[in-house]
């Protein structure tokens, strides 16, 4: 028995492929993981809404056969909040990048986490602004080169998962495209959460970040992920010298907090109870 | 170079190949392939090799263990395993 | 009676001038069926220093919404009097708080112990604004007493009705005394 | 049933009008002098089963409104001066993505922080040209608290019909003014809600079928999946770089107002038949003009009033007709001269166009305006 690609059924009818992404860009791998996670959870695609901002990753919604909203730079989470609050039955995924979510959209990111709006935020972190030619982002590691950091950046990067947890997210996890099987599980977990859930997907940009920092092609960058990431559980058992300089992956936070739209329904009930 | 086609067109093309007797464990839909070589590099059994046209070819079909590493890591949905494991 | 009345209620922030303005407008507009507009000062101007609310009451349609020639002025503080009394038209009537305001040298100014009566008879100074409204109603007839009471009771917190009704009674009494 | 007569502020009447029109979502950020709109919506919406959210800034406010609108809500935001400037980018998004919504701007004096508690009409050109790129604009100006109610209802109707953000350009004078309003009974005022599609999902085009005005379009989660983007797109909503498709989209946007001008004219005319001196005024500033035109008539001056309630699209023909019959048109504005440029543009003959402006946070007085009327009689 010979079978068709299992993800094809989730692709947008009438849309031309392949995607706009460069050869070897990790974003397509993350897209595949999202498609499989939704398939496995059996969420009807009519209930799925994919909302994005601006940047390479934010081009994803047009390719997937969901309701989709490709918005303005940094604002995806604010748009998504409106979608979810208006119709809490919809499953809302936000596709965003490191520049989109953490620089221009940083304020919306922390406040949606604080409100605990039921959004599954997939942050495709490639440590650079890809769409516009390789400028540095809030997650470009200090010293790394970008088109606006020709001598290396002078800024410290920050950790999106820690930021989300501090702001009130109920779920935060980091995966890689090398570890796409785990990544897919994290996305599944995040989609099932009722509340603000973040999955940070480390997704290499060979065209800009890789070239500017001489990290090689897509294959080398994926293999780098294999060698330089450690799962949080494994890391906990290792001495500090073995984990120094490594990127920790895994689920960092998983809590139960009454989600925003449910709290707001309580407001509606209260207001209607008081109505004369 | 990759050629732009819709998923409906891709499906039709692949179905035609299947009907014509395609029997390899891995399928490469070349119009969508961007020649990034990830599938070739991550296959634990070296089933795939880059061909002269810079697209992967199924060089050692008998070695395929249906682990789907190629399919899961192809950013462009251009490579997939055609047979179930076991 | 003249068919258009321009009324300015002035005092300091926190004395309830805006509340008084809204109640006067609601009484004359919604309950007495007149045309009304009500406006007020906002922001830094309204905090701390002098605060004012204006009400225009008319049988005709009101177009320009701000008071230009004041027919009835209330001044609860000296600062409010100094700042806002220049617009009082000739023949206009003023009610001032006798405890805070020295308004000598103007005819038709009724200096009434508004805040003092509030303190002594009701026990809280905050109702001085309603005493003033009642005095204005008694002196000018610009709004009916029934309407004033109805509008006031709709806007005050539950449980304070008696104190506020008492404030109106004090205002009517003070004004009757002033009329002689 | 006796009539529902209430004393309301312009801002409160706006919120009541929104509820009457079926608004079920408000996203915004408080800013003086528009805050009462948000406060009233926070109180009223949940009573009617709607949703209110105070966002982290005005950009988020308009973004969440547009998100709700795209999902199928009748959505609204309200702001003033600096907040309106922050919303400009996404006003364009709403036009490009064709999302119905109402943006209320209770105008205050600027630029920058300016005079937060004082009124102005200085955002009139910003309403037309504030966002980048060619785009249609619909903006309304209420001159009374009653109109703040009725024109809010009308703004929602126009937003639904024309499928774009509509701007209700209040000003602090009307926003904070209290007047009597008779709340119409349900059904008394028209409330328009756009139709939902009836075609099979496979045949549905979110931006297709040539009907950008009055057509059917779907809400999310109703079986019609579609892509919305701020990128220039084809009828399916897919981004395009093809010149023919770009031109199609841009012409479609322009046609929204250009092809429907007659239904977008809403002008009050008073004493115009024999008027030699015509006052052109709108919003709060028109209150002075309404008074002055009567004062002038009482003094034997043939004065008339032209008061657009819809200012964008500008009522070219109506203004041109009035100009043709008048000796002078006095343009009353609470700014340094904005719509007067439009009046001059449509002035084909030799009619004198005279600015009567005030921009110190106060409203022009009848005396000031009468001086100008006397000088141009």
């Amino acid at each position: 028995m010979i079978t068709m690609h299992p993800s094809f059924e989730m692709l947008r009818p009438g849309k031309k492929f392949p995607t706009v992404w460069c050869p070897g860009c990790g974003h397509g791998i993350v897209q595949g993981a999202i498609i499989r996670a939704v398939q496995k959870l059996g969420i009807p695609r009519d209930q799925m809404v994919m909302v994005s901002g601006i940047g390479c990753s934010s081009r994803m919604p047009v390719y997937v056969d969901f309701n989709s909203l490709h918005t303005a730079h940094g604002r995806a989470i604010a748009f998504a909040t409106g979608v979810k609050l208006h119709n809490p039955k919809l499953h809302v995924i936000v596709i965003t990048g490191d520049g989109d979510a953490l620089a221009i959209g940083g304020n919306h990111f922390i406040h949606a986490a604080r409100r605990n709006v039921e959004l599954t935020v997939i942050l495709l972190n490639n440590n650079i602004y890809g769409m516009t030619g390789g400028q540095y982002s809030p997650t470009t590691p200090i010293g790394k080169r970008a088109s606006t950091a020709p001598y290396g950046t002078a800024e410290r990067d920050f950790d999106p998962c820690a930021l989300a947890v501090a702001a009130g997210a109920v779920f935060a996890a980091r995966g890689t495209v090398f570890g796409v099987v785990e990544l897919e599980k994290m996305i599944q977990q995040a989609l099932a959460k009722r509340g603000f859930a973040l999955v940070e997907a480390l997704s290499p940009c060979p065209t800009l970040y890789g070239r500017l920092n001489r990290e090689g092609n897509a294959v080398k960058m994926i293999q780098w992920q294999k060698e330089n990431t450690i799962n949080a559980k494994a890391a906990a058992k290792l001495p500090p010298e073995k984990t120094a300089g490594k990127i920790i992956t895994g689920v960092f936070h998983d809590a139960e907090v009454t989600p925003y739209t449910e709290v707001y329904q309580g407001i509606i009930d209260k207001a209607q109870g008081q109505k004369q | 170079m990759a050629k732009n086609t819709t998923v409906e067109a891709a499906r039709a093309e692949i179905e035609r190949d299947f009907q014509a007797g395609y029997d390899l464990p891995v399928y490469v839909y070349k119009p969508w392939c961007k020649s990034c070589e990830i599938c070739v590099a991550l296959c634990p059994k070296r089933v795939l090799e880059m061909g002269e046209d810079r697209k992967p070819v199924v060089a050692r079909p008998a070695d395929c263990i249906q682990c789907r590493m190629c399919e899961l890591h192809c950013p462009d949905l251009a490579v997939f395993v055609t047979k179930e494991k076991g | 009676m003249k068919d258009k009345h321009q009324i300015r209620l002035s005092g300091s922030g926190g004395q309830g001038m805006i509340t008084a303005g809204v109640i006067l407008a609601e009484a004359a507009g919604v309950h007495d069926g007149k045309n009304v507009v009500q406006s007020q000062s906002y922001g830094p101007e309204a905090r701390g220093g002098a605060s004012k609310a204006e009400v225009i009451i008319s049988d005709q349609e009101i177009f320009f919404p701000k008071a230009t020639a004041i027919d009835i002025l209330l001044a609860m503080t000296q600062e409010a009097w100094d700042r806002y009394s220049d617009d009082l038209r000739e023949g206009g009537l003023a009610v001032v708080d006798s405890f805070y305001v020295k308004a000598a040298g103007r005819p038709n100014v009724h200096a009434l112990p508004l805040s003092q009566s509030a303190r002594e008879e009701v026990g809280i100074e905050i109702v001085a604004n309603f005493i003033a409204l009642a005095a204005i109603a008694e002196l000018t007839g610009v709004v009916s007493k029934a309407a004033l009471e109805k509008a006031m009771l709709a806007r005050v917190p539950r449980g304070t009705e008696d104190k506020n009704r008492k404030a109106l009674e004090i205002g009517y009494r003070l004004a009757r005394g002033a009329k002689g | 049933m006796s009539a529902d007569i209430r004393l309301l502020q312009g801002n409160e009447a706006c919120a009541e009008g929104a509820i009457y029109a079926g608004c079920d979502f408000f996203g915004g950020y408080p800013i003086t002098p528009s805050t009462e709109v948000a406060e009233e919506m926070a109180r009223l919406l949940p009573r009617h089963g709607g949703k209110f959210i105070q966002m982290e800034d005005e950009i988020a406010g308009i973004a969440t409104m547009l998100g709700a609108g795209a999902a199928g809500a009748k959505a609204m935001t309200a702001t003033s001066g600096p907040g309106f400037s922050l919303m400009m980018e996404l006003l364009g998004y709403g036009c490009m993505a064709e999302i119905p919504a109402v943006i209320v701007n209770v105008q205050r004096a600027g630029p920058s922080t300016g005079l937060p508690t004082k009124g102005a009409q200085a955002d009139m050109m910003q309403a037309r040209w504030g966002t980048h790129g060619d785009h249609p604009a619909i903006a309304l100006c209420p001159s009374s608290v009653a109109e703040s109610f009725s024109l809010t209802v009308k703004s929602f109707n126009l937003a639904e019909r024309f499928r774009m953000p509509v701007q209700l350009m209040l000003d602090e004078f009307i926003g904070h003014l209290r007047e009597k309003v008779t709340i119409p009974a349900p059904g008394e005022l028209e409330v328009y809600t756009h139709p939902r599609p009836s075609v099979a999902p496979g045949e549905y085009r979110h931006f297709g079928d040539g009907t950008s005005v009055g057509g059917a379009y779907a809400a999310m989660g109703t079986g019609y999946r579609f892509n919305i983007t701020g990128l220039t797109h084809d009828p399916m909503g897919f981004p395009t770089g093809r010149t023919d498709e770009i031109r199609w989209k841009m012409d479609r946007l322009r046609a929204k107002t250009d092809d429907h001008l007659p239904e977008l004219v809403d002008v009050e005319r008073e004493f115009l038949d024999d008027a030699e001196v015509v006052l052109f005024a709108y919003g709060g500033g028109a209150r002075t003009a309404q008074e002055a035109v009567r004062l002038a008539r009482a003094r034997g001056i043939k004065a008339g009033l032209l008061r657009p309630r819809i200012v964008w699209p500008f009522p070219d023909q109506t203004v041109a007709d009035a100009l043709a019959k008048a000796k002078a048109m006095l343009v009353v504005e609470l700014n340094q001269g904005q719509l007067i440029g439009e009046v001059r543009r449509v002035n084909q003959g030799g009619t004198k166009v005279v600015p009567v402006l005030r921009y110190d946070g106060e409203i022009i007085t009848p005396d000031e305006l009468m001086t100008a009327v006397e000088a141009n009689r």
Side-chain angles (χ1 to χ4, degrees):
Chain A
M1 178 63 192
I2 199 153
T3 57
M4 185 63 71
H5 196 308
S7 297
F8 276 15
E9 59 157 27
M10 298 295 269
L11 298 184
R12 177 86 68 185
K15 179 65 194 165
K16 294 218 169 137
F17 286 80
T19 64
V20 73
W21 299 312
C22 300
C25 171
H27 291 1
I29 306 176
V30 182
Q31 176 176 278
I34 294 169
I35 288 174
R36 291 190 299 277
V38 171
Q39 284 173 321
K40 283 181 184 156
L41 289 169
I43 306 169
R45 70 187 81 177
D46 202 50
Q47 280 178 22
M48 291 296 310
V49 184
M50 192 180 264
V51 185
S52 68
I54 294 293
C56 292
S57 60
S58 290
R59 292 300 189 98
M60 189 188 296
V62 76
Y63 300 120
V64 191
D65 188 22
F66 299 152
N67 301 286
S68 55
L69 191 57
H70 174 223
T71 73
H73 196 26
R75 316 304 169 200
I77 288 175
F79 275 80
T81 299
V83 172
K84 182 70 189 178
L85 183 53
H86 173 63
N87 185 352
K89 284 185 205 131
L90 298 170
H91 269 262
V92 184
I93 295 189
V94 175
I95 300 297
T96 184
D98 37 308
D100 192 55
L102 303 173
I104 185 167
N107 204 22
H108 312 311
F109 181 82
I110 58 173
H111 285 282
R114 174 179 64 79
R115 294 184 186 105
N116 197 25
V117 187
E118 302 101 298
L119 303 175
T120 307
V121 178
I122 316 282
L123 196 166
L124 289 86
N125 184 357
N126 59 7
N127 311 102
I128 204 137
Y129 286 85
M131 182 67 74
T132 51
Q135 297 77 29
Y136 67 91
S137 88
T139 63
T140 306
I142 190 164
K144 291 290 181 182
R145 268 196 278 274
S147 71
T148 46
Y151 312 107
T153 65
E155 297 180 20
R156 295 187 298 167
D157 56 323
F158 62 23
D159 175 343
C161 289
L163 179 66
V165 174
V170 295
F171 183 87
R174 177 181 300 125
T176 65
V177 297
F178 172 77
V180 67
V181 177
E182 285 100 348
L183 180 67
E184 184 189 313
K185 281 185 193 137
M186 289 170 185
I187 295 169
Q188 256 195 72
Q189 272 180 280
L191 274 168
K193 288 300 290 185
R194 296 183 65 243
F196 186 93
L198 172 71
V199 176
E200 180 192 354
L202 302 181
S203 175
C205 169
T207 302
L208 288 160
Y209 189 86
R211 280 184 201 163
L212 285 163
N213 290 291
R214 298 199 171 85
E215 297 199 354
N217 61 15
V219 169
K220 287 221 174 72
M221 289 182 84
I222 285 195
Q223 278 160 347
W224 184 94
Q225 285 193 335
K226 179 185 178 184
E227 284 143 26
N228 290 278
T229 54
I230 300 181
N231 185 276
K233 279 181 195 154
K237 292 174 197 152
L238 290 172
E241 64 270 19
K242 294 256 183 186
T243 59
K246 305 275 187 194
I247 296 168
I248 310 296
T249 59
V251 177
F252 304 115
H253 185 65
D254 188 353
E256 291 297 326
V257 179
T258 314
Y260 182 77
T261 64
E262 198 175 309
V263 177
Y264 197 86
Q265 186 56 47
I267 302 276
I268 292 174
D269 295 343
K270 195 171 175 183
Q272 294 188 334
Q274 285 172 0
K275 194 161 68 173
Q276 287 106 23
Chain B
M1 260 315 285
K3 193 174 114 250
N4 288 347
T5 49
T6 63
V7 66
E8 297 92 323
R11 198 189 273 275
E13 234 177 287
I14 296 165
E15 299 272 6
R16 271 200 299 277
D17 279 351
F18 284 178
Q19 275 157 21
Y22 191 91
D23 197 31
L24 297 176
V26 178
Y27 189 97
V28 178
Y29 182 61
K30 289 188 179 183
W32 289 1
C33 172
K34 293 173 185 162
S35 309
C36 69
E37 289 194 49
I38 292 175
C39 55
V40 174
L42 294 191
C43 175
K45 295 290 177 187
R46 301 191 167 273
V47 172
L48 300 169
E49 265 177 21
M50 288 307 272
E52 274 176 21
D53 60 352
R54 305 285 305 139
K55 310 272 179 182
V57 289
V58 188
R60 280 171 286 276
D63 293 352
C64 179
I65 54 168
Q66 283 103 23
C67 72
R68 293 187 185 264
M69 282 298 114
C70 55
E71 179 183 314
L72 300 179
H73 285 95
C74 174
D76 293 292
L77 303 121
V79 179
F80 62 96
V81 174
T82 58
K83 291 179 179 169
E84 293 296 326
K85 207 168 180 171
Chain C
M1 203 172 117
K2 184 172 168 293
D3 87 338
K4 184 175 175 184
H5 296 270
Q6 303 191 36
I7 302 151
R8 179 177 291 167
L9 311 175
S10 64
S12 72
Q15 281 187 313
M17 291 302 99
I18 311 251
T19 307
V22 173
I23 287 170
L24 177 57
E26 205 154 60
V30 177
H31 303 298
D32 281 344
K34 305 278 183 67
N35 289 306
V36 289
V37 299
Q38 188 274 326
S39 60
Q40 64 213 44
S41 53
Y42 269 93
E45 196 189 333
R47 310 218 193 286
S51 150
K52 68 168 177 185
E54 292 179 353
V55 182
I56 301 174
I57 301 171
S58 177
D59 294 328
Q60 311 294 317
E61 201 173 346
I62 303 162
F63 298 105
F64 186 66
K66 304 271 177 176
T68 46
I70 304 295
D71 300 296
I72 301 166
L73 175 73
L74 168 69
M76 299 290 287
T77 65
Q78 187 67 42
E79 190 191 348
W81 172 263
D82 294 344
R83 204 157 153 185
Y84 296 128
S85 56
D86 285 353
D87 297 334
L88 187 60
R89 70 166 175 83
E90 233 177 276
L93 172 146
V95 171
V96 304
D97 186 291
S98 58
F99 187 83
Y100 293 115
V101 184
K102 301 277 166 284
R106 287 286 296 252
N108 221 2
V109 174
H110 300 273
L112 304 178
L114 305 169
S115 53
Q116 207 178 332
S117 310
R119 277 194 304 272
E120 289 169 6
E121 296 186 46
V122 190
I124 38 169
E125 191 166 328
I126 189 73
V127 296
N129 59 346
F130 294 154
I131 298 179
L133 278 187
I136 287 168
E138 178 73 41
L139 286 167
T140 66
V142 77
V143 62
S144 74
K145 291 179 183 177
L148 185 60
E149 182 171 335
K150 219 169 165 181
M152 184 197 72
L153 291 177
R155 292 262 175 185
V156 298
R158 241 172 283 166
T160 66
E161 291 88 347
D162 288 347
K163 284 187 171 166
N164 289 304
R165 257 195 221 104
K166 190 168 180 194
L168 293 187
E169 290 307 323
I170 296 167
Y172 300 141
R173 192 193 72 219
L174 293 177
R176 278 195 300 271
K179 280 199 284 193
Chain D
M1 204 178 91
S2 66
D4 183 4
I5 299 171
R6 293 188 225 167
L7 182 80
L8 294 175
Q9 271 195 336
N11 284 348
E12 294 166 339
C14 171
E16 294 281 355
I19 297 292
Y20 187 94
C23 172
D24 55 3
F25 191 96
F26 183 102
Y29 188 78
I31 182 167
T32 305
S34 72
T35 302
E36 294 84 359
V37 181
E39 289 170 343
E40 277 301 285
M41 292 307 275
R43 189 176 68 85
L44 295 172
L45 270 176
R47 282 187 177 196
H48 292 83
K51 318 285 171 66
F52 169 91
I53 187 166
Q54 179 174 312
M55 294 298 282
E56 48 276 10
D57 59 30
E58 285 89 348
I59 300 173
I62 187 171
T64 206
M65 170 191 80
L66 291 170
K74 271 196 183 183
M76 177 195 203
T77 190
T79 191
S80 295
F84 195 55
S85 291
L86 284 175
M87 289 184 181
M88 282 299 113
E89 182 198 0
L90 294 185
L91 170 62
Y93 184 92
C95 291
M96 179 61 100
E98 303 190 34
I99 298 172
V102 174
I103 300 166
V104 178
N105 176 6
V106 186
Q107 296 170 85
R108 71 190 221 187
S112 189
T113 312
L115 300 162
T117 58
K118 294 201 176 256
Q121 299 178 312
D123 308 343
M124 300 309 298
M125 299 313 286
Q126 191 182 12
R128 180 63 194 88
W129 297 115
T131 193
H132 59 278
D134 286 323
H135 61 94
I138 299 177
L140 296 82
C141 277
S143 285
S144 67
V145 177
E147 275 188 1
S148 185
F149 183 99
S150 62
L151 293 189
T152 300
V153 177
K154 185 161 188 167
S155 294
F156 274 96
N157 291 348
L158 293 172
E160 290 280 307
R161 177 159 162 72
F162 288 81
R163 202 177 161 178
M164 58 184 273
V166 168
Q167 302 169 77
L168 183 77
M169 302 296 285
L170 270 162
D171 51 61
E172 190 275 338
F173 303 107
I174 302 300
H176 279 164
L177 194 68
R178 281 190 181 83
E179 293 185 289
K180 271 200 302 187
V181 183
T182 306
I183 306 287
E188 203 174 310
L189 284 188
E190 187 210 359
V191 169
Y192 176 82
T193 304
H194 71 84
R196 297 297 185 191
S198 53
V199 297
E203 290 161 37
Y204 179 65
R205 294 165 163 231
H206 197 59
F207 301 95
D209 308 330
T211 50
S212 68
V213 175
Y217 47 101
M220 287 179 180
T222 59
Y224 298 91
R225 290 183 298 281
F226 47 86
N227 187 55
I228 295 179
T229 175
L231 289 166
T232 308
H233 47 259
D234 67 15
M236 293 300 287
F238 297 156
T240 184
R242 274 172 49 178
T243 54
D244 60 331
E245 288 178 343
I246 295 167
R247 191 174 287 274
W248 167 83
K249 176 71 190 186
M250 294 306 291
D251 287 343
R252 174 179 162 93
L253 292 184
R254 182 178 60 185
K256 287 188 191 233
T257 49
D258 279 15
D259 290 3
H260 300 87
L261 288 174
E263 63 177 296
L264 288 167
V265 173
D266 185 352
V267 179
E268 187 187 62
R269 301 168 179 81
E270 287 193 288
F271 312 108
L272 270 186
D273 287 346
D274 63 342
E276 291 170 354
V277 183
V278 175
L279 305 179
F280 175 98
Y282 54 94
R287 297 295 287 259
T288 314
Q290 288 170 323
E291 179 110 10
V293 75
R294 287 165 176 82
L295 289 171
R297 284 279 164 177
R299 292 184 201 174
I301 302 168
K302 287 182 176 169
L305 172 66
L306 195 68
R307 181 171 73 84
R309 279 183 281 245
I310 295 179
V311 289
W312 299 118
F314 193 76
D316 285 14
Q317 196 54 53
T318 313
V319 176
D321 291 348
L323 280 162
K325 288 198 286 180
K327 281 202 308 197
M329 184 172 281
L330 273 52
V331 181
V332 181
E333 299 191 79
L334 303 174
N335 56 45
Q336 293 187 332
Q338 297 201 2
L339 291 190
I340 193 170
E342 298 297 301
V343 175
R344 287 185 173 129
R345 178 176 59 77
V346 298
N347 183 21
Q348 297 299 321
T351 311
K352 214 165 134 191
V353 175
V354 183
V356 186
L357 310 175
R358 195 161 172 179
Y359 42 86
D360 58 0
E362 298 295 333
I363 199 162
I364 295 165
T365 65
D367 283 352
E368 285 173 301
L369 185 47
M370 282 309 294
T371 307
V373 170
E374 293 279 4
N376 290 283
R377 63 184 295 183

